[in-house]
Amino acid sequence: MSSNVKTTKVATVNPSINLKYIHNFLTYDECNKLMELANDKLNKSGVTPGITDTYSSQRTSTSYFIPKHTENIKSIEDKIVSFLSKHINDN
């Protein structure tokens, strides 16, 4: 487990769905690693759940779901697990 995790500031974005923002959770290098993995695999996001070929000109996002246990991101997965195990019951 990496000791790169500094004092973590967590902000509530939407309390009704317990949505949190974790400030500076990933390092610059970790962010770059994830972007490199997804860069050539991004797909235009659809607008209808479950129907991947329905698009809108107003929706311009792209996404890629990195498969579990992808090589080279184990440390990031471990960091997420460690954080969640410590903060899962915090409100």
Side-chain angles (χ1 to χ4, degrees), residues 3-22:
S3 62
N4 297 9
V5 180
K6 302 172 189 89
T7 303
T8 306
K9 181 179 176 186
V10 180
T12 300
V13 175
N14 185 332
S16 67
I17 59 171
N18 199 21
L19 178 63
K20 308 285 186 182
Y21 174 78
I22 307 165

Side-chain angles (χ1 to χ4, degrees), residues 4-86:
N4 297 9
V5 180
K6 302 172 189 89
T7 303
T8 306
K9 181 179 176 186
V10 180
T12 300
V13 175
N14 185 332
S16 67
I17 59 171
N18 199 21
L19 178 63
K20 308 285 186 182
Y21 174 78
I22 307 165
H23 297 266
N24 300 314
F25 183 71
L26 296 178
T27 66
Y28 179 82
D29 290 338
E30 290 167 331
C31 289
N32 279 336
K33 186 184 296 186
L34 292 173
M35 289 187 293
E36 286 173 13
L37 282 169
N39 190 37
D40 61 346
K41 299 173 185 84
L42 293 172
N43 296 308
K44 188 170 180 174
S45 300
V47 293
T48 306
I51 302 173
T52 58
D53 59 350
T54 302
Y55 303 105
S56 167
S57 61
Q58 286 84 26
R59 185 164 187 175
T60 59
S61 65
T62 56
S63 61
Y64 171 66
F65 291 97
I66 298 170
K68 286 183 179 182
H69 311 295
T70 297
E71 194 173 328
N72 300 322
I73 65 163
K74 175 88 170 94
S75 63
I76 297 172
E77 291 175 332
D78 290 344
K79 190 175 190 176
I80 294 167
V81 168
S82 177
F83 180 85
L84 289 175
S85 67
K86 291 176 186 170

